[in-house]
């Protein structure tokens, strides 16, 4: 189709740019999994949030449409449709070039957390179809693209002026490309969680969400006037607080910081960092600045109040953060990121500025709120006491370890010492464990049978956890130590197995055991999960033996009904009630043999949600757990 002449000159670079995005989507949106897919929505929403930050938009609507597309609508000024100096409608430039924005974007924090300014064109390049509707200058304008390429002709480089309107705003509807993404179904729970987070960070913004794919459509409005204070309130919901929520803010050298925190009566620490409204999963300089200031301030109070004597050692940082929930949200005009996923703030000036603001504001606050100060110091004292006990327990454990390592002799280790090749299977039940020991390739596969349920670490105290035989054996076998609240002895480079595979029956008990193990890993060795070492074996549910043709293993009911549809002749159906029913050869073929088995990699997409869910599923609060299991019952087996 002929393009408008004024567009022609740009055409080739535009196509190259879009092609680069389609060729390496991961570089632009992180991944092509559901996480990357949801990211498309956040890219568009974040542009609307920028328009909010510029003071021109107070409402964003997000719709997941029945046809699989997503719509994001805002009441901002509308993307400019006027002629850009490059001789083309500015809107076209925004959607087709990787570095639009800039000149048009007058927000001080335009670069935001990541890809702003390039977000719209990235989403466009990764969508089969994208439609923009702009209300601006008293008119409605429309434009459309297919896989990033414009399908409408411009007139003198401009969009046609549509019907009259007295409103302003931008509406973008896009359909993610199945050629790019593994799955194209947006995950409502993840999107909602992220939108809620955005609402907490922007107290004057209202975000409305509607999942129109459901038969019964329910809308949710996120409007959080209390801002990050409300976020803390939500995270600490149902917990016993030991002081009120505190809010600090300040600005130095154009860097703004807002900090909210509260202590609760629990041995845990939650400190979340945001820069320009984007969550920094790996923390960074802003978090370091705050933590360092908090440690110094609390130690200096403890000394001057005589709680710490001159001869006493200072509280450690972890002591001081015992029971702390904090959010550090900063605005930085030029954020830089490092780390594996580029989610760790790297600006050294942020550490200095946030440190100074925190020291000044914490001192001002604690000077006036002695009760809060005392509550915080007593949390630190309790942590210090437990830390000292644990140090003793650990030393005892480590010295005893040589003799008590796998004291009941259950672990059948592998021969190879090459960690990159080794695998350990944690198998439910002694009988399946026995078969697995026979079936395995002992060169590189270790088997550790566990009997019944393992300890729920979410409910148990630290010394109980460390005294538990199964847990001790796992810690010793993995070889990389563990981390928990008060100290980090975890060293993934010492891990003795590349794959840690949970092997449990495909029933409720099996799911429970998997969840208990995952809780243990998540709380004590989270890097095992984030670095992709934890897997779940997927034993088959059925074996079909046709009168003619090949035997086959089927892994779920959907596969069975599909088999019924596609196979005409007679067949014998064998149903496995558990791993214990399989003989060694079947077990090898279906769950151990790397060439034929099915493993699911366990990953964590949203740490805030994961932490909430672990708490919900494994903590002591029963009613919400029931609700969650009920709501997610159909997903549970597929989605652990
Ligand atoms: C640049 C300049 C102006 C608006 C926007 C960008 C804008 C972008 C998006 C993306 C989604 N919603 C948006 N709303 C606005 C305004 C320029 C002006 O009117 O002076």
């Amino acid at each position: 189709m002929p393009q408008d002449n004024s567009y022609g000159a740009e055409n080739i670079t535009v196509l190259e740019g879009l092609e680069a995005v389609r060729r390496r989507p991961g570089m632009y949106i992180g991944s092509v999994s559901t996480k990357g897919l949801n990211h498309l929505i956040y890219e568009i929403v974040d542009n609307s949030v920028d328009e909010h930050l510029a003071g021109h938009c107070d409402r964003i609507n997000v719709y997941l449409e029945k046809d699989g597309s997503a719509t994001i609508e805002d009441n901002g000024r509308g993307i400019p449709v006027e002629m850009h100096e490059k001789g083309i409608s500015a809107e076209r430039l925004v959607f087709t070039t990787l570095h639009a924005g800039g000149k048009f974007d007058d927000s001080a924090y335009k670069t935001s957390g990541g890809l702003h300014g390039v977000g719209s064109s990235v989403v466009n390049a990764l969508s089969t179809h994208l439609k923009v509707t702009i209300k601006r200058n008293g008119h409605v304008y429309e434009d459309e693209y297919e896989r990033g390429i414009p399908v409408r002709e411009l007139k003198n480089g401009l969009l046609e002026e549509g019907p009259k309107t007295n409103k302003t705003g931008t509406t973008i509807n896009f359909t993610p490309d199945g050629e790019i993404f593994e799955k194209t179904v947006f995950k409502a729970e993840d999107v909602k969680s992220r939108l809620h987070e955005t609402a907490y960070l922007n107290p004057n913004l209202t975000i409305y969400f509607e999942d129109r794919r459901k038969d019964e459509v329910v809308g949710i409005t996120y409007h959080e006037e209390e801002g990050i204070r409300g976020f803390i309130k939500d995270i600490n919901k149902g917990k016993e607080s030991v002081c009120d929520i505190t809010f600090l803010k300040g600005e130095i050298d154009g860097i703004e910081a807002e900090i909210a925190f509260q202590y609760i009566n629990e041995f845990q620490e939650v400190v979340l960092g945001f820069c320009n409204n984007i969550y920094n999963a790996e923390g960074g300089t802003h978090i370091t600045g705050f933590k360092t200031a908090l440690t110094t301030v609390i130690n200096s109070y403890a000394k001057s109040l005589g709680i710490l004597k001159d001869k006493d050692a200072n509280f450690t940082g972890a002591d001081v953060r015992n029971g702390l929930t904090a959010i550090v949200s900063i605005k930085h005009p030029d954020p830089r990121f490092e780390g594996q996923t580029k989610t760790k703030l790297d600006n050294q000036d942020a550490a200095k500025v946030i440190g100074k603001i925190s020291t000044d504001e914490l001192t001002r606050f604690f000077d006036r709120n002695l009760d809060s100060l005392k509550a915080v110091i007593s949390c630190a004292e309790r942590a210090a006491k437990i830390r000292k006990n644990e140090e003793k327990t650990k030393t005892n454990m480590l010295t005893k370890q040589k003799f008590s390592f796998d004291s009941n002799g259950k672990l059948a280790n592998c021969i190879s010492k090459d960690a990159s090749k080794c695998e350990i299977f944690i198998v439910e039940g002694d009988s399946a464990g026995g078969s697995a020991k026979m079936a395995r390739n002992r060169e590189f596969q270790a088997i550790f049978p566990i009997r019944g349920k393992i300890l729920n670490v979410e409910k148990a105290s630290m010394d109980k956890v460390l005294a538990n035989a199964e847990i001790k054996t796992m810690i010793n076998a993995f070889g990389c130590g563990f981390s928990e609240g008060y100290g980090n002895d975890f060293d993934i480079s010492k891990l003795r197995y590349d794959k840690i595979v949970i092997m449990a029956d495909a029933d409720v008990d099996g799911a429970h055991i998997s969840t208990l193990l995952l809780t243990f890993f998540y709380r004590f060795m989270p890097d095992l999960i984030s670095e992709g070492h934890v897997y779940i074996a997927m034993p088959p549910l059925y074996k079909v033996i046709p009168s003619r043709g090949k035997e086959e293993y089927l892994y779920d009911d959907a596969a069975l009904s599909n088999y019924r549809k596609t196979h005409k002749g007679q067949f014998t159906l064998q149903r496995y009630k558990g791993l214990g029913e399989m003989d060694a050869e079947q077990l090898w073929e279906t769950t151990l043999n790397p060439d034929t088995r099915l493993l699911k990699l366990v990953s964590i997409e949203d740490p805030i949600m994961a932490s909430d869910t672990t708490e919900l599923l494994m903590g002591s609060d029963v009613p919400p757990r029931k609700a969650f299991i009920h709501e997610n019952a159909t997903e549970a087996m597929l989605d652990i």
Side-chain angles (χ1 to χ4, degrees):
M1 197 176 78
Q3 297 288 331
D4 184 272
N5 282 340
S6 55
Y7 184 75
E10 292 288 310
N11 221 341
I12 223 143
T13 37
V14 165
L15 286 175
E16 276 170 2
L18 298 178
E19 203 35 51
V21 177
R22 290 180 62 82
R23 231 185 354 255
R24 307 194 63 185
M27 290 242 314
Y28 298 87
I29 49 160
S31 76
V32 291
S33 65
T34 304
K35 188 176 175 182
L37 179 79
N38 292 335
H39 206 101
L40 299 180
I41 296 182
Y42 312 150
E43 282 302 322
I44 302 290
V45 168
D46 288 348
N47 289 338
S48 299
V49 172
D50 282 351
E51 184 66 356
H52 166 74
L53 290 173
H56 302 282
C57 157
D58 66 1
R59 189 177 172 96
I60 302 172
N61 299 331
V62 177
Y63 306 105
L64 303 184
E65 309 285 4
K66 256 200 154 63
D67 66 4
S69 68
T71 305
I72 293 94
E73 181 176 40
D74 72 47
N75 64 352
R77 287 168 294 181
I79 297 176
V81 291
E82 294 85 59
M83 180 65 78
H84 186 266
E85 61 186 30
K86 293 211 161 131
I88 184 177
S89 149
E91 175 272 330
R92 279 276 163 105
L93 224 50
V94 166
F95 280 94
T96 54
T97 55
L98 284 176
H99 287 283
K103 227 176 142 90
F104 288 100
D105 199 341
D106 57 2
S107 143
Y109 303 112
K110 58 176 187 287
T111 38
S112 293
L115 320 157
H116 294 207
V118 307
S120 314
S121 53
V122 168
V123 174
N124 194 17
L126 303 178
S127 300
T128 52
H129 189 248
L130 181 143
K131 181 172 176 185
V132 209
T133 310
I134 295 165
K135 297 189 188 114
R136 190 177 161 90
N137 304 337
H139 286 274
V140 182
Y141 301 82
E142 283 183 354
D143 204 5
E144 274 179 276
Y145 302 85
E146 278 167 14
R147 296 201 160 95
I149 298 165
V151 295
R152 294 193 181 208
E153 275 187 60
L154 300 179
K155 289 215 174 72
N156 300 321
L158 291 174
L159 288 172
E160 200 178 324
E161 217 168 61
K164 286 201 159 160
T165 179
N166 56 8
K167 299 210 177 88
T168 64
T170 305
T171 305
I172 295 167
N173 172 265
F174 67 92
T175 307
D177 191 342
E179 286 178 8
I180 303 281
F181 293 96
E182 288 162 5
K183 289 188 212 153
T184 52
V185 183
F186 295 111
K187 205 157 169 209
E189 286 313 306
D190 294 357
V191 174
K192 275 155 64 178
S193 165
R194 165 70 195 258
L195 294 178
H196 200 172
E197 195 179 289
T198 306
Y200 280 123
L201 293 166
N202 298 282
N204 299 318
L205 181 63
T206 301
I207 304 180
Y208 176 76
F209 172 86
E210 204 175 272
D211 190 348
R212 293 173 164 167
R213 302 170 303 183
K214 298 198 171 168
D215 291 333
E216 215 175 302
V217 175
V218 221
I220 303 182
T221 302
Y222 299 110
H223 178 76
E224 297 291 352
E225 265 169 23
E226 293 181 81
I228 57 174
R229 269 166 287 208
F231 203 164
I232 299 275
K233 201 192 266 180
D234 194 14
I235 295 173
N236 286 348
K237 199 166 48 198
K239 311 264 174 74
E240 184 196 334
S241 64
V242 301
C243 64
D244 290 339
I245 298 172
T246 304
F247 179 78
L248 320 168
K249 76 188 272 184
E251 193 253 79
I252 298 175
D253 295 341
I255 302 169
E256 295 171 24
E258 285 193 353
I259 299 165
F261 70 90
Q262 183 181 40
Y263 280 79
I264 55 168
N265 193 12
E266 250 166 69
F267 295 107
Q268 67 163 47
E269 165 192 337
V270 179
V271 181
L272 308 177
F274 294 84
C275 178
N276 299 350
N277 281 323
I278 306 294
Y279 174 55
N280 309 123
E282 296 171 283
T285 46
H286 48 350
I287 297 291
T288 314
F290 169 69
K291 284 183 175 175
T292 310
L294 183 69
T295 309
T296 314
V297 168
I298 296 300
N299 271 309
S300 117
Y301 275 114
K303 284 248 157 83
S304 64
L305 290 173
I307 296 171
L308 284 182
K309 306 280 180 292
D310 283 342
K311 64 175 173 45
D312 290 338
N314 275 351
F315 292 125
T316 64
D319 292 344
V320 168
R321 295 190 297 277
N322 172 35
L324 173 70
T325 307
I327 290 171
V328 179
S329 170
I330 76 158
K331 300 276 157 58
H332 196 293
D334 181 25
R336 303 277 155 87
F337 299 92
E338 61 141 334
Q340 255 185 352
T341 49
K342 297 271 170 248
T343 55
K344 186 172 185 184
L345 188 71
D346 195 29
N347 301 72
Q348 292 313 312
D349 56 356
K352 258 201 221 131
V353 165
I354 306 321
K356 173 101 174 69
I357 294 173
S358 303
T359 306
D360 293 354
E361 294 302 315
L362 284 169
T363 309
R364 224 160 69 99
F365 171 75
F366 285 128
D367 277 350
R368 290 168 178 70
N369 295 276
L370 219 58
D371 286 347
S372 290
L373 176 62
K374 283 181 182 159
V376 172
I377 294 181
S378 61
C379 284
E381 282 182 292
R382 274 191 302 149
K385 200 166 147 196
I386 292 178
R387 169 172 55 83
K388 284 171 194 157
N389 271 337
E390 270 170 18
E391 279 161 5
K392 266 190 230 144
T393 316
K394 268 192 205 171
T395 328
N396 290 342
M397 203 180 108
L398 290 175
T399 44
K400 265 195 274 172
Q401 173 180 307
K402 287 192 194 77
F403 310 99
S404 70
F405 174 42
D406 187 30
S407 50
N408 43 16
K410 293 203 149 225
L411 174 76
N413 216 340
C414 52
I415 299 164
S416 169
K417 294 270 172 281
D418 178 355
S420 71
K421 295 203 174 67
C422 292
E423 308 176 340
I424 183 166
F425 288 78
I426 301 165
V427 185
E428 172 189 4
D430 285 337
S431 85
S435 301
K437 282 183 190 175
M438 285 199 283
R440 71 180 172 140
N441 180 334
R442 61 177 59 236
E443 181 58 33
F444 67 97
Q445 292 179 320
I447 306 289
F448 179 49
I450 48 172
R451 195 177 349 100
K453 304 272 155 82
I454 78 152
L455 184 74
N456 181 351
V457 300
E458 199 75 6
K459 282 187 194 160
S461 68
M462 187 70 178
D463 36 339
K464 266 238 181 76
V465 171
L466 293 184
N468 180 273
E470 264 89 11
I471 286 179
K472 264 203 292 202
T473 304
M474 281 190 275
I475 292 173
N476 284 328
F478 296 173
C480 46
F482 59 93
S483 59
E484 211 281 337
Y486 321 100
N488 190 352
D489 290 343
F490 187 81
D491 180 356
I492 198 140
S493 69
K494 299 218 173 93
L495 182 62
R496 295 205 189 100
Y497 307 94
D498 178 61
K499 291 191 174 62
I500 295 165
V501 185
I502 300 173
M503 199 161 139
D505 287 337
D507 58 14
V508 177
D509 280 345
H512 191 203
I513 287 169
S514 302
T515 316
L516 290 167
L517 283 165
L518 290 176
T519 305
F520 166 60
F521 297 151
Y522 180 64
R523 289 292 180 217
F524 288 81
M525 305 173 172
D527 293 355
L528 287 187
I529 301 181
S530 63
E531 305 217 349
H533 293 288
V534 181
Y535 295 80
I536 295 184
M538 305 286 287
L541 280 186
Y542 306 101
K543 181 179 189 177
V544 285
I545 308 150
S547 43
R548 233 173 292 158
K550 222 171 69 223
E551 296 179 359
E552 255 180 76
Y553 292 102
L554 302 177
Y555 291 84
D556 56 24
D557 287 314
L560 177 60
S561 82
N562 192 38
Y563 188 88
R564 287 208 156 100
K565 274 189 216 136
T566 50
H567 287 75
K568 290 260 148 30
Q570 278 197 327
F571 61 86
T572 314
L573 182 68
Q574 188 179 347
R575 188 192 159 89
Y576 297 114
K577 290 205 200 70
L579 293 161
E581 287 186 1
M582 273 182 237
D583 61 30
E585 193 189 334
Q586 288 169 331
L587 210 53
W588 165 252
E589 209 174 318
T590 59
T591 36
L592 291 163
N593 182 355
D595 297 331
T596 49
R597 71 190 176 192
L598 200 59
L599 297 182
K600 257 186 115 101
L601 176 66
V602 176
S603 71
I604 288 177
E605 303 236 310
D606 178 344
I608 302 171
M609 249 191 19
S611 184
D612 274 5
T613 315
T614 309
E615 178 77 45
L616 185 74
L617 291 174
M618 307 314 293
S620 13
D621 215 4
V622 176
R625 174 160 64 237
K626 273 202 179 136
F628 179 90
I629 292 175
H630 189 72
E631 277 175 31
N632 293 275
T634 49
E635 278 186 40
M637 285 313 297
L638 299 168
D639 220 56
I640 294 171

